[in-house]
Amino acid sequence: MPTESGSWAAARQTKQKRKSHSLSIKRTNSSEQDRLGLQRDMLEGQDSKLPPSVRNTLLELFGQIEREFENLYLENLELRREIDTLNDRLAVEGQAIDGAELSKGQMKTKASHSTSQLSQKLKTTYKASTSKIVSSFKTTTSRAICQLVKDYVGHRDGLWDVSVTRTQPVVLGTASADHTALLWSIETGKCLIKYVGHAGSVNSIKFHPTEQIALTASGDQTAHIWRYMVQLPTPQPMADTSISGEEEVDFSDKDENDGDGDASSDCPTVRVPLTALKSHQGVVIAADWLVGGKQAVTASWDRTANLYDVETSELVHSLTGHDQELTHCCTHPTQRLVVTSSRDTTFRLWDFRDPSIHSVNVFQGHTDTVTSAVFTVGDNVVSGSDDRTVKVWDLKNMRSPIATIRTDSAVNRISVSVGQRIIALPHDNRQVRLFDISGVRLARLPRSNRQGHRRMVCCCAWSEDHPTCNLFSCGFDRQAIGWNINIPALLQEK
């Protein structure tokens, strides 16, 4: 009769242990009711001021907690048994192969092989653990590529949105939770116009493609269209805001601009809109102009997006279908296309190119709130989400993304440059990162104790042809920041 090898014996022993383990679980389950009854009797025997229903509920909850810990304990025991079994099996295999002892040369070869495997694992672990450190060194060179130029300070609450005019003179617009929208001189940082027509937080600001008209969305359930006329002041020499070294300092509350100074108090004020769009039943979180500027689209927490005729203020279409609140809306720069994003983890593409019908496509590429989805000049849509990913989609085939960017923080309202197709990602963790359209990381904007945002960065906006600043960011630290991005050097770094 053949004798059992060491591996067969170990396997049989493991099977017996698992059998005894299953029996112990059955015994535990069978005695569970007895234990609960005993605990209930003990609790009833004590002098307690709790009502009986509350005591019974507590007993049931404590019993559930105890069962969870017991299951974890049993799983831990089973894992330990399996580890011991594997160790025994490795010890047996290390002593004999097919019942014959290894020669000295064979043992040496096997030891060398094991050592090389361990070395490879260590190399892989080292590479993974140092990848973040190595990537952080790239920000040192990024300081020469991405430089802070100007701070725009004057709001009395956090900023939700930032935008740049498409017509001359080129000015900056900011939307704030302090119920105002401000227009700024990009060169001097001086407030030019203050709009105070809303009764709630101003959540979005977009400029008309050809006229000096702004579109703002608000928490007062309306969107306003208002006209502005600005005269740019004489530019002043800018101070050098660059800093030396790689400083990464967390900000405390005392670093914020909490003073009572209001830089916008002496600038001209617009109080009444040209027209108000009032068809929503909830917060209007975003608004944008369709190509040509004759129609506007709004997105609301009432789960709908509305398309309006600007001249008559009439509702043309109500875009329904999202299951939860909308977070953003964006229009294509050259075609009658609209994309809306929502807390329901989807974004929808609405097609108004055919006047007789409008079609809609739903895209489920994220696992959490889609915070924004924007068009590029070409045939791409870029979506960002609270699931810490950004995805690039091809309009011709949107079954799956053509690129996925994974980050370490939730992504807010993203912006894509028209000319260079560079994506700017504002994050909850105060970071602003730059990627190309294929998902390759290009740079991170400097963040230190002298420059950068102190709180969550809510939005970014590109200004393609402005010589001084070509990227703007705004955050909940009550300020907007203008950055100069050396595009050729940035692309060369890639």
Side-chain angles (χ1 to χ4, degrees):
M1 183 176 181
T3 59
E4 290 181 332
S5 65
S7 59
W8 280 105
R12 188 177 66 178
Q13 185 180 3
T14 302
K15 186 174 182 180
Q16 291 175 349
K17 288 182 177 180
R18 288 180 178 174
K19 185 176 180 181
S20 63
H21 174 232
S22 63
L23 290 176
S24 66
I25 293 177
K26 289 180 180 179
R27 286 197 299 269
T28 301
N29 293 336
S30 63
S31 61
E32 182 179 338
Q33 297 298 329
D34 297 337
R35 184 172 64 255
L36 289 177
L38 180 61
Q39 291 176 346
R40 185 175 287 105
D41 293 340
M42 293 176 62
L43 188 60
E44 289 176 354
Q46 297 176 356
D47 186 12
S48 174
K49 296 181 180 180
L50 294 174
S53 60
V54 175
R55 291 205 305 272
N56 292 334
T57 303
L58 286 174
L59 266 177
E60 292 177 0
L61 292 174
F62 288 141
Q64 294 176 10
I65 294 172
E66 183 181 3
R67 287 194 297 274
E68 290 295 330
F69 276 105
E70 188 177 63
N71 291 334
L72 289 174
Y73 177 72
L74 292 175
E75 290 177 3
N76 189 25
L77 288 179
E78 181 63 21
L79 287 174
R80 289 184 180 180
R81 291 191 187 100
E82 292 182 1
I83 291 172
D84 292 340
T85 301
L86 290 174
N87 287 334
D88 294 340
R89 187 178 301 174
L90 289 174
V92 171
E93 292 178 355
Q95 292 175 0
I97 295 180
D98 293 334
E101 291 189 359
L102 290 172
S103 64
K104 186 175 181 181
Q106 289 173 321
M107 288 290 289
K108 185 175 181 180
T109 302
K110 187 172 182 179
S112 175
H113 180 66
S114 300
T115 303
S116 64
Q117 286 183 332
L118 179 61
S119 175
Q120 184 62 36
K121 288 182 179 179
L122 288 174
K123 287 180 181 179
T124 304
T125 304
Y126 175 77
K127 183 178 181 181
S129 63
T130 57
S131 60
K132 291 185 179 180
I133 300 175
V134 173
S135 64
S136 67
F137 290 155
K138 192 172 183 179
T139 60
T140 304
T141 59
S142 297
R143 292 187 182 280
I145 298 173
C146 312
Q147 294 183 341
L148 185 150
V149 178
K150 180 65 68 175
D151 293 319
Y152 304 89
V153 181
H155 282 288
R156 303 180 68 86
D157 208 337
L159 275 64
W160 292 120
D161 200 17
V162 62
S163 185
V164 183
T165 57
R166 310 183 203 181
T167 58
Q168 296 292 334
V170 179
V171 297
L172 179 71
T174 53
S176 172
D178 65 6
H179 299 190
T180 69
L182 300 183
L183 305 188
W184 307 83
S185 166
I186 293 177
E187 286 81 4
T188 66
K190 180 181 179 181
C191 178
L192 305 175
I193 294 289
K194 181 177 183 179
Y195 181 70
V196 296
H198 284 293
S201 169
V202 184
N203 302 319
S204 171
I205 180 169
K206 289 292 183 291
F207 293 103
H208 193 276
T210 58
E211 301 181 42
Q212 291 191 358
I213 297 176
L215 170 66
T216 50
S218 173
D220 62 11
Q221 303 184 6
T222 68
H224 287 184
I225 298 173
W226 48 279
R227 185 178 297 277
Y228 64 90
M229 296 185 65
V230 297
Q231 183 176 0
L232 295 181
T234 304
Q236 299 294 326
M238 294 189 180
D240 184 10
T241 57
S242 62
I243 64 174
S244 60
E246 178 69 12
E247 299 179 77
E248 285 293 329
V249 180
D250 287 334
F251 294 90
S252 59
D253 292 337
K254 64 182 180 181
D255 291 326
E256 283 198 73
N257 297 312
D258 291 329
D260 295 332
D262 188 354
S264 63
S265 59
D266 58 346
C267 69
T269 300
V270 177
R271 301 181 182 277
V272 181
L274 294 175
T275 184
L277 311 177
K278 300 180 178 180
S279 298
H280 284 293
Q281 303 300 314
V283 168
V284 183
I285 196 64
D288 202 359
W289 302 92
L290 263 71
V291 57
K294 295 182 178 180
Q295 290 181 323
V297 63
T298 57
S300 172
W301 284 4
D302 64 8
R303 306 183 182 184
T304 67
N306 287 342
L307 184 66
Y308 295 92
D309 181 275
V310 171
E311 185 176 354
T312 63
S313 302
E314 292 182 357
L315 178 64
V316 179
H317 290 295
S318 183
L319 313 179
T320 60
H322 281 291
D323 294 331
Q324 295 188 38
E325 296 92 338
L326 273 65
T327 58
H328 192 240
C329 65
C330 181
T331 59
H332 195 280
T334 60
Q335 302 182 58
R336 290 176 55 80
L337 298 172
V338 176
V339 63
T340 57
S341 54
S342 170
R343 289 175 56 88
D344 62 10
T345 73
T346 72
F347 64 95
R348 292 177 176 239
L349 177 65
W350 310 81
D351 190 346
F352 298 102
R353 289 175 292 188
D354 188 340
S356 60
I357 60 172
H358 66 274
S359 61
V360 58
N361 293 295
V362 184
F363 303 99
Q364 299 177 332
H366 292 281
T367 60
D368 205 338
T369 297
V370 182
T371 52
S372 64
V374 300
F375 291 100
T376 67
V377 172
D379 294 325
N380 297 119
V381 173
V382 184
S383 59
S385 171
D386 280 344
D387 65 8
R388 304 182 180 183
T389 67
V390 173
K391 303 192 179 217
V392 183
W393 309 80
D394 187 349
L395 282 174
K396 298 177 182 178
N397 181 14
M398 296 190 65
R399 295 179 181 177
S400 60
I402 59 177
T404 298
I405 301 169
R406 303 189 184 279
T407 68
D408 59 355
S409 180
V411 181
N412 296 313
R413 291 183 180 178
I414 58 182
S415 178
V416 182
S417 67
V418 174
Q420 303 298 331
R421 291 159 63 91
I422 299 174
I423 310 170
L425 308 183
H427 292 286
D428 279 358
N429 64 359
R430 304 185 284 120
Q431 300 269 11
V432 179
R433 293 185 175 94
L434 305 181
F435 289 80
D436 69 6
I437 205 72
S438 61
V440 176
R441 177 176 171 179
L442 301 177
R444 189 193 74 193
L445 299 191
R447 188 192 69 182
S448 70
N449 62 346
R450 285 199 228 165
Q451 59 179 320
H453 287 284
R454 299 179 174 91
R455 294 291 180 265
M456 173 180 68
V457 188
C458 298
C459 182
C460 289
W462 290 92
S463 177
E464 302 297 327
D465 302 321
H466 198 276
T468 305
C469 304
N470 45 25
L471 178 65
F472 298 90
S473 59
C474 70
F476 231 64
D477 54 0
R478 308 181 185 181
Q479 67 173 337
I481 298 177
W483 303 89
N484 179 265
I485 312 296
N486 187 337
I487 301 294
L490 184 68
L491 297 177
Q492 186 177 1
E493 280 288 320
K494 180 181 70 169

mmCIF file of all heavy atoms in Angstrom, residues 23 28 31 33 45 115 132 138 145 194 240-241 345 368-369 438 474:
data_model
loop_
_atom_site.group_PDB
_atom_site.id
_atom_site.type_symbol
_atom_site.label_atom_id
_atom_site.label_comp_id
_atom_site.label_asym_id
_atom_site.label_seq_id
_atom_site.Cartn_x
_atom_site.Cartn_y
_atom_site.Cartn_z
ATOM 1 N N LEU A 23 -18.266 23.035 12.006
ATOM 2 C CA LEU A 23 -19.067 22.543 13.128
ATOM 3 C C LEU A 23 -19.126 23.559 14.244
ATOM 4 O O LEU A 23 -20.175 23.759 14.874
ATOM 5 C CB LEU A 23 -18.464 21.222 13.635
ATOM 6 C CG LEU A 23 -18.617 20.004 12.695
ATOM 7 C CD1 LEU A 23 -17.882 18.808 13.289
ATOM 8 C CD2 LEU A 23 -20.076 19.672 12.460
ATOM 9 N N THR A 28 -22.169 27.641 17.266
ATOM 10 C CA THR A 28 -22.327 29.037 17.671
ATOM 11 C C THR A 28 -23.700 29.559 17.289
ATOM 12 O O THR A 28 -24.376 30.221 18.075
ATOM 13 C CB THR A 28 -21.240 29.896 16.988
ATOM 14 O OG1 THR A 28 -19.969 29.397 17.372
ATOM 15 C CG2 THR A 28 -21.366 31.351 17.390
ATOM 16 N N SER A 31 -26.598 28.125 19.478
ATOM 17 C CA SER A 31 -26.678 28.619 20.863
ATOM 18 C C SER A 31 -26.917 30.124 20.925
ATOM 19 O O SER A 31 -26.938 30.704 22.003
ATOM 20 C CB SER A 31 -25.377 28.288 21.603
ATOM 21 O OG SER A 31 -24.284 28.919 20.969
ATOM 22 N N GLN A 33 -29.611 31.979 20.222
ATOM 23 C CA GLN A 33 -30.855 32.373 20.856
ATOM 24 C C GLN A 33 -30.789 32.199 22.372
ATOM 25 O O GLN A 33 -31.304 33.024 23.131
ATOM 26 C CB GLN A 33 -32.007 31.526 20.270
ATOM 27 C CG GLN A 33 -32.229 31.738 18.786
ATOM 28 C CD GLN A 33 -32.619 33.157 18.480
ATOM 29 O OE1 GLN A 33 -33.256 33.806 19.322
ATOM 30 N NE2 GLN A 33 -32.238 33.650 17.315
ATOM 31 N N GLY A 45 -33.271 41.753 35.058
ATOM 32 C CA GLY A 45 -33.075 41.656 36.500
ATOM 33 C C GLY A 45 -32.423 42.880 37.088
ATOM 34 O O GLY A 45 -32.431 43.070 38.305
ATOM 35 N N THR A 115 15.668 34.165 -4.253
ATOM 36 C CA THR A 115 16.255 35.466 -3.963
ATOM 37 C C THR A 115 15.946 36.466 -5.072
ATOM 38 O O THR A 115 15.634 37.629 -4.814
ATOM 39 C CB THR A 115 17.777 35.335 -3.797
ATOM 40 O OG1 THR A 115 18.032 34.388 -2.773
ATOM 41 C CG2 THR A 115 18.391 36.672 -3.441
ATOM 42 N N LYS A 132 5.224 58.671 -6.186
ATOM 43 C CA LYS A 132 4.650 59.955 -5.801
ATOM 44 C C LYS A 132 5.740 60.977 -5.484
ATOM 45 O O LYS A 132 5.623 62.158 -5.789
ATOM 46 C CB LYS A 132 3.724 59.770 -4.593
ATOM 47 C CG LYS A 132 2.460 59.009 -4.917
ATOM 48 C CD LYS A 132 1.542 58.964 -3.721
ATOM 49 C CE LYS A 132 0.247 58.223 -4.053
ATOM 50 N NZ LYS A 132 -0.662 58.177 -2.896
ATOM 51 N N LYS A 138 8.590 67.142 -10.048
ATOM 52 C CA LYS A 138 8.273 67.826 -11.291
ATOM 53 C C LYS A 138 7.730 69.226 -11.038
ATOM 54 O O LYS A 138 7.841 70.105 -11.872
ATOM 55 C CB LYS A 138 7.245 67.006 -12.077
ATOM 56 C CG LYS A 138 7.059 67.474 -13.510
ATOM 57 C CD LYS A 138 6.177 66.507 -14.272
ATOM 58 C CE LYS A 138 6.046 66.939 -15.728
ATOM 59 N NZ LYS A 138 5.201 66.007 -16.499
ATOM 60 N N ILE A 145 7.339 77.303 -15.311
ATOM 61 C CA ILE A 145 6.370 77.201 -16.399
ATOM 62 C C ILE A 145 5.049 77.851 -16.019
ATOM 63 O O ILE A 145 4.409 78.487 -16.841
ATOM 64 C CB ILE A 145 6.160 75.716 -16.773
ATOM 65 C CG1 ILE A 145 7.477 75.117 -17.268
ATOM 66 C CG2 ILE A 145 5.073 75.557 -17.812
ATOM 67 C CD1 ILE A 145 7.422 73.621 -17.500
ATOM 68 N N LYS A 194 -19.780 95.814 -10.550
ATOM 69 C CA LYS A 194 -20.340 94.947 -9.517
ATOM 70 C C LYS A 194 -21.819 94.737 -9.820
ATOM 71 O O LYS A 194 -22.583 95.705 -9.877
ATOM 72 C CB LYS A 194 -20.153 95.589 -8.142
ATOM 73 C CG LYS A 194 -20.669 94.758 -6.984
ATOM 74 C CD LYS A 194 -20.375 95.460 -5.663
ATOM 75 C CE LYS A 194 -20.803 94.624 -4.473
ATOM 76 N NZ LYS A 194 -20.497 95.314 -3.190
ATOM 77 N N ASP A 240 6.854 91.182 -8.566
ATOM 78 C CA ASP A 240 7.304 89.804 -8.794
ATOM 79 C C ASP A 240 6.789 88.931 -7.669
ATOM 80 O O ASP A 240 7.176 89.098 -6.514
ATOM 81 C CB ASP A 240 8.832 89.768 -8.853
ATOM 82 C CG ASP A 240 9.349 88.364 -9.187
ATOM 83 O OD1 ASP A 240 8.516 87.514 -9.546
ATOM 84 O OD2 ASP A 240 10.568 88.149 -9.076
ATOM 85 N N THR A 241 5.887 88.013 -8.006
ATOM 86 C CA THR A 241 5.298 87.144 -6.985
ATOM 87 C C THR A 241 5.950 85.782 -6.941
ATOM 88 O O THR A 241 5.496 84.901 -6.224
ATOM 89 C CB THR A 241 3.790 86.965 -7.249
ATOM 90 O OG1 THR A 241 3.621 86.434 -8.561
ATOM 91 C CG2 THR A 241 3.065 88.288 -7.144
ATOM 92 N N THR A 345 -24.628 60.504 -11.296
ATOM 93 C CA THR A 345 -23.415 59.872 -11.838
ATOM 94 C C THR A 345 -23.403 59.818 -13.359
ATOM 95 O O THR A 345 -22.557 59.151 -13.940
ATOM 96 C CB THR A 345 -23.180 58.448 -11.286
ATOM 97 O OG1 THR A 345 -24.124 57.536 -11.866
ATOM 98 C CG2 THR A 345 -23.319 58.408 -9.768
ATOM 99 N N ASP A 368 -19.622 58.368 -9.191
ATOM 100 C CA ASP A 368 -20.064 59.374 -8.218
ATOM 101 C C ASP A 368 -20.542 60.593 -9.002
ATOM 102 O O ASP A 368 -20.576 60.586 -10.236
ATOM 103 C CB ASP A 368 -18.915 59.729 -7.264
ATOM 104 C CG ASP A 368 -19.419 60.249 -5.919
ATOM 105 O OD1 ASP A 368 -20.580 60.724 -5.865
ATOM 106 O OD2 ASP A 368 -18.675 60.192 -4.928
ATOM 107 N N THR A 369 -20.911 61.643 -8.289
ATOM 108 C CA THR A 369 -21.421 62.856 -8.908
ATOM 109 C C THR A 369 -20.522 63.338 -10.042
ATOM 110 O O THR A 369 -19.306 63.457 -9.868
ATOM 111 C CB THR A 369 -21.545 63.967 -7.855
ATOM 112 O OG1 THR A 369 -22.499 63.569 -6.865
ATOM 113 C CG2 THR A 369 -21.991 65.271 -8.487
ATOM 114 N N SER A 438 -4.759 63.548 -23.961
ATOM 115 C CA SER A 438 -4.554 62.095 -23.932
ATOM 116 C C SER A 438 -4.363 61.569 -22.516
ATOM 117 O O SER A 438 -4.156 60.374 -22.320
ATOM 118 C CB SER A 438 -3.341 61.718 -24.794
ATOM 119 O OG SER A 438 -2.162 62.319 -24.298
ATOM 120 N N CYS A 474 -10.415 80.034 -9.353
ATOM 121 C CA CYS A 474 -11.096 80.676 -8.232
ATOM 122 C C CYS A 474 -11.432 79.609 -7.205
ATOM 123 O O CYS A 474 -11.565 78.432 -7.538
ATOM 124 C CB CYS A 474 -12.352 81.407 -8.685
ATOM 125 S SG CYS A 474 -13.695 80.325 -9.210
#
